[in-house]
Amino acid sequence: MFFDPFAPMMLTFQATRIGMEAQAVVAMRLAGMAGLWATPPSEMTRMVIEKAEAAIEAMQASTHAAMKGAAPDQVLRAGMTQIGRHTAGNLTRLSRMGPARAPFFW
């Protein structure tokens, strides 16, 4: 089995990207709760439901990679790819909504 010396670094970059996207999504959702970001009321329910879906998809991808005999870094990357897909999608979707036109306190 060949060891990729760059695998730990690539996993670190992937985890960093996911973390930054997740923080931006949290910031936009909190701004939406405060009336500063144009989020629909269903966003609060969506943020709870999608966490379970993302966790299940990541677990399935990791399990599938492990059952195929993938290396540990590839198993981790398979699960992180699913989580990253969700964070990137949320960031794109919420960014398009933009700031609220008239916040409640203006």
Side-chain angles (χ1 to χ4, degrees), residues 21-91:
E21 288 172 348
Q23 288 301 312
V25 168
V26 167
M28 285 184 268
R29 285 179 169 161
L30 285 173
M33 286 182 207
L36 302 172
W37 203 258
T39 56
S42 62
E43 187 65 31
M44 303 315 125
T45 304
R46 181 177 185 153
M47 74 179 180
V48 173
I49 293 171
E50 73 183 6
K51 286 180 181 26
E53 293 173 355
I56 291 169
E57 289 176 16
M59 185 175 57
Q60 287 174 340
S62 294
T63 302
H64 188 259
M67 291 178 72
K68 286 174 53 176
D73 63 310
Q74 294 170 337
V75 172
L76 184 56
R77 182 175 297 155
M80 287 176 58
T81 299
Q82 293 301 316
I83 299 292
R85 189 174 58 78
H86 283 274
T87 57
N90 282 334
L91 182 61

Side-chain angles (χ1 to χ4, degrees), residues 2 5-7 27 37 86 93 97:
F2 175 72
F6 297 108
W37 203 258
H86 283 274
R93 183 177 53 79
M97 292 177 186

Side-chain angles (χ1 to χ4, degrees), residues 87-105:
T87 57
N90 282 334
L91 182 61
T92 302
R93 183 177 53 79
L94 289 168
S95 296
R96 288 185 188 144
M97 292 177 186
R101 298 272 186 228
F104 63 89
F105 56 87

